[in-house]
Amino acid sequence: MHKIGIDLGGTKIEGILLDEKYNTIQRKRIETHQENGYDSIVKSIISLINELKAKTGEEASVGICTPGITDANSGLVKNSNTQCLIGMPLKNDIENILGYQIMMENDANCFALSESLLGSAKGYEVVFGVIMGTGIGGGIIINGTLHKGRTNIAGEWGHHTLHPNGNQCYCGKQGCVETYISGPALEKRWLELTGKKESLQPIVQDLSNEKVKQWKEEFLVNFGMALANVIDILDPDVIVLGGGVSNVSFLYDEGKAAVYENVFSDLVKTPILKNKLGDSAGVFGACLLNR
Ligand SMILES: [Zn+2]
């Protein structure tokens, strides 16, 4: 059966149609237009699905990758940075319009699934896929299967407490991992230290000055503690990094060393790898939800 994957992002909605062998038949990107609200996003998704489906003469499965988690009990979207989705029964609404069942998972789970089956983590049994971007997410794949957990939150290391009484998080708690090593958190810390509003890419280009040293040291300590906690519990065979922050090259040598320092084992050799699929992990992961 052909597979349709939709990656619903804050600014773009991407759709892909694959054949049985995962060859790409059609790919299309449209604007999300969050400002037009929930109903307009649902309409855009439906028209994209129908357009892709029209390219194949047969039935196609549909998987959707979303920002935020769909609550296991209520079916409502929660913890999404695309705010108008919060509290909405997105999966249900789309199924009602299409008239058939679809699969839906959050972006970190789709990322982990695609990197595990088609990307950097191919061949590893237990995979922890990490998204470090606007938010911090994670997904666990065991022998090619997504481990969602009892309430769909398995792998959500972004809201572990790193520093009690630390930075305020949108989730209501203080000191969450996300408030220290997400893209916006790192840029905010840079602004506090230097008075300069800069994005991550130029910050990491010149790592020689004193201010950068402090910023980098804090980043490494937080990254090391946060991922070491994950390793202590899951002890995965590999960790794959994705999202904008995964482009910071020192995470793969100094970052890895900082993680190892904090793990409860002298034997730790867990590979920490950069993703292979880049921005395409979402659409492929969405397709792979139907296997
Ligand atoms: Zn939080």
Side-chain angles (χ1 to χ4, degrees), residues 159 169 171 176:
H159 298 274
C169 184
C171 76
C176 293

Side-chain angles (χ1 to χ4, degrees), residues 158-160 169-174 176-179:
H159 298 274
H160 277 184
C169 184
Y170 80 90
C171 76
K173 293 195 303 172
Q174 276 180 280
C176 293
V177 170
E178 183 164 308
T179 68

Side-chain angles (χ1 to χ4, degrees), residues 95-144:
E95 285 179 338
N96 283 342
I97 298 170
L98 290 174
Y100 52 86
Q101 287 207 320
I102 61 164
M103 297 292 279
M104 186 177 283
E105 271 303 331
N106 75 67
D107 48 5
N109 284 350
C110 289
F111 169 81
L113 195 56
S114 57
E115 287 296 331
S116 162
L117 297 171
L118 305 171
S120 304
K122 204 171 165 181
Y124 291 93
E125 277 181 28
V126 179
V127 177
F128 188 59
V130 161
I131 290 196
M132 298 170 70
T134 315
I136 300 282
I140 299 166
I141 309 296
I142 302 172
N143 293 321

Side-chain angles (χ1 to χ4, degrees), residues 241-255:
L241 308 185
V245 182
S246 72
N247 294 321
V248 176
S249 57
F250 64 71
L251 291 181
Y252 302 93
D253 40 43
E254 292 163 281

